[in-house]
Amino acid sequence: MTSTALQVSDTYPASHSGIRAAEGTAGASLDLLRIVRINEQIKAVVAVAFKINIMALNAIFLAKRAGSAALGFGVLSNELRVFSRDLRTQMESLRQLIHASVVEVSRLLQHSRYSRLLAAGVQLSGGNARLEEVLRRRDREAQVRRETLSRLRRELKLALEDAFQLVELGGVLAKSAKIEAAYGQSFTGALAQVSGEFDGIVEEIRGSLETLKKSSFFGGR
């Protein structure tokens, strides 16, 4: 009876580690899927931001053709070009954080799978002390990786908030351009069309960022 109780006591930590490893594998797999989706959204935003840059350059040339009547529109078009550049820089920061997160999640996934095998080995061996020590060490390493991933998660969320604030500024610029387009005299129609496209694209980016903010990845576990 005593021997059985001792065996249960000795093997329980390994069993517990095995459960944690199984949960870690499932959680890491979900995180990896979420990160891939976030990365796809970021790539889409970068592509649209580049489109704004091209549109802004064309708008600047159009404003020059319109002359003094479109001076304000030209200034705003240049600001939208700067906005496009800043947004791409911000999204690149997000992509770097995403890359770091992928590395950590992949390592956690690999770690969890190996820990499950170790935990099973400990139980089958009836409590091999050497294997148990390896398992405990790997549990500590996994905890460090989880903390690193949590930090990256927080940094990503903050960077996303910064990007969202930047897009809010872009929205103000686009709407201001629509107002300025009304003073373009004979170019009013062309300027209004361009400013409307600016506004639509900025709204598209805002929608993409809103979707990113709702990702389950930022909710943690």
Side-chain angles (χ1 to χ4, degrees):
M1 181 71 174
T2 304
S3 175
T4 303
L6 180 60
Q7 185 177 0
V8 171
S9 175
D10 287 343
T11 58
Y12 174 74
S15 175
H16 195 53
S17 292
I19 293 171
R20 286 202 307 272
E23 291 173 345
T25 300
S29 297
L30 279 174
D31 272 344
L32 198 56
L33 179 60
R34 291 162 181 161
I35 290 171
V36 168
R37 289 173 178 168
I38 290 172
N39 192 51
E40 289 302 312
Q41 286 278 64
I42 289 173
K43 286 165 63 177
V45 170
V46 170
V48 175
F50 184 76
K51 185 177 179 181
I52 289 179
N53 182 60
I54 300 299
M55 287 176 57
L57 286 172
N58 290 334
I60 290 170
F61 291 136
L62 181 61
K64 286 182 178 179
R65 286 178 56 201
S68 59
L71 184 61
F73 186 88
V75 171
L76 287 166
S77 295
N78 188 62
E79 287 300 317
L80 280 163
R81 187 175 66 85
V82 174
F83 157 72
S84 169
R85 181 199 63 199
D86 291 345
L87 181 59
R88 279 179 287 152
T89 299
Q90 184 65 30
M91 299 312 286
E92 180 56 34
S93 297
L94 277 167
R95 288 185 68 173
Q96 290 175 6
L97 288 169
I98 282 292
H99 175 72
S101 297
V102 167
V103 170
E104 288 303 321
V105 171
S106 297
R107 287 174 177 170
L108 266 174
L109 192 57
Q110 183 181 34
H111 187 284
S112 296
R113 287 169 177 165
Y114 186 53
S115 291
R116 287 175 67 184
L117 293 175
L118 270 177
V122 170
Q123 287 187 299
L124 287 173
S125 67
N128 183 290
R130 187 173 180 180
L131 284 178
E132 284 183 341
E133 176 55 33
V134 172
L135 189 57
R136 281 192 290 269
R137 185 174 69 248
R138 291 190 68 84
D139 279 348
R140 290 193 294 270
E141 291 171 357
Q143 181 58 33
V144 171
R145 295 206 178 281
R146 282 191 288 269
E147 290 170 359
T148 299
L149 183 59
S150 293
R151 174 181 57 78
L152 288 168
R153 204 189 304 265
R154 290 192 298 271
E155 290 179 7
L156 261 169
K157 194 170 184 178
L158 289 173
L160 189 56
E161 287 291 343
D162 289 342
F164 194 81
Q165 291 300 317
L166 186 58
V167 171
E168 289 295 309
L169 172 61
V172 171
L173 292 172
K175 285 177 171 53
S176 297
K178 289 176 74 173
I179 294 172
E180 286 295 329
Y183 301 100
Q185 297 179 359
S186 61
F187 285 85
T188 294
L191 296 176
Q193 180 180 349
V194 172
S195 61
E197 290 173 355
F198 276 139
D199 194 37
I201 289 178
V202 172
E203 285 301 316
E204 180 183 340
I205 294 174
R206 181 186 284 109
S208 295
L209 294 183
E210 284 283 9
T211 300
L212 285 177
K213 287 171 68 175
K214 294 175 183 176
S215 171
S216 299
F217 178 72
F218 298 114
R221 289 188 307 279

